[in-house]
């Protein structure tokens, strides 16, 4: 149940971000959820490699433990993706002019 709520809120925040910058809303909501799962998967691979290198035992059958370990990694990857998208879109955002008479004024001066 917690997983469904996490996915819902991730999708919601990415949807709102895309809406704010006039991007494809559904695409970026889905990409936000994908970023969450990719971050969790990368954390699992890193944990597996780390457990082989230093030879400590991890209970891979404990789904609760794997979910708790994957949650922060997934949220961190979502936050990083959100931050990068927002930073990129802020650079490209076109600010509308206040008045139509101001169009071309800087060229005349």
């Amino acid at each position: 149940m917690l997983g469904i709520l996490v996915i819902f809120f991730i999708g919601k925040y990415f949807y709102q971000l895309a809406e704010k910058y006039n991007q494809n809303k559904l695409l970026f909501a889905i990409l936000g959820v994908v970023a969450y799962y990719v971050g969790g998967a990368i954390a699992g691979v890193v944990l597996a490699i780390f457990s082989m290198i230093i030879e400590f035992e991890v209970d891979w059958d404990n789904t609760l433990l794997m979910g708790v370990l994957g949650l922060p990694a997934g949220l961190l990857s979502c936050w990083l993706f959100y931050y990068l998208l927002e930073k990129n879109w802020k650079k490209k955002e076109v600010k509308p002019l206040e008045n139509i008479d101001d169009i071309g004024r800087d060229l005349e001066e």
Side-chain angles (χ1 to χ4, degrees):
M1 183 68 180
L2 178 64
I4 294 171
L5 286 175
V6 169
I7 291 169
F8 172 76
F9 283 109
I10 289 171
K12 178 183 170 196
Y13 284 115
F14 276 92
Y15 186 92
Q16 290 172 345
L17 178 70
E19 188 174 46
K20 181 178 176 183
Y21 292 102
N22 297 322
Q23 301 292 325
N24 189 339
K25 297 177 276 290
L26 186 60
L27 173 68
F28 285 102
I30 292 171
L31 284 177
V33 173
V34 168
Y36 170 76
Y37 281 114
V38 167
I42 290 172
V45 169
V46 168
L47 181 64
I49 292 171
F50 189 67
S51 71
M52 283 191 280
I53 291 174
I54 64 168
E55 296 178 2
F56 74 93
E57 191 62 35
V58 175
D59 184 14
W60 298 105
D61 294 329
N62 188 348
T63 57
L64 180 62
L65 175 66
M66 293 297 118
V68 168
L69 290 175
L71 184 69
L75 292 177
L76 180 66
S77 66
C78 278
W79 174 80
L80 182 64
F81 184 50
Y82 187 95
Y83 174 76
L84 291 174
L85 281 177
E86 187 174 33
K87 184 178 176 183
N88 187 22
W89 290 343
K90 276 184 182 178
K91 283 182 191 177
K92 293 181 180 180
E93 186 177 21
V94 177
K95 306 234 187 237
L97 294 174
E98 298 278 332
N99 190 353
I100 197 160
D101 295 332
D102 293 338
I103 296 175
R105 181 167 291 200
D106 58 343
L107 298 175
E108 294 173 359
E109 296 173 356

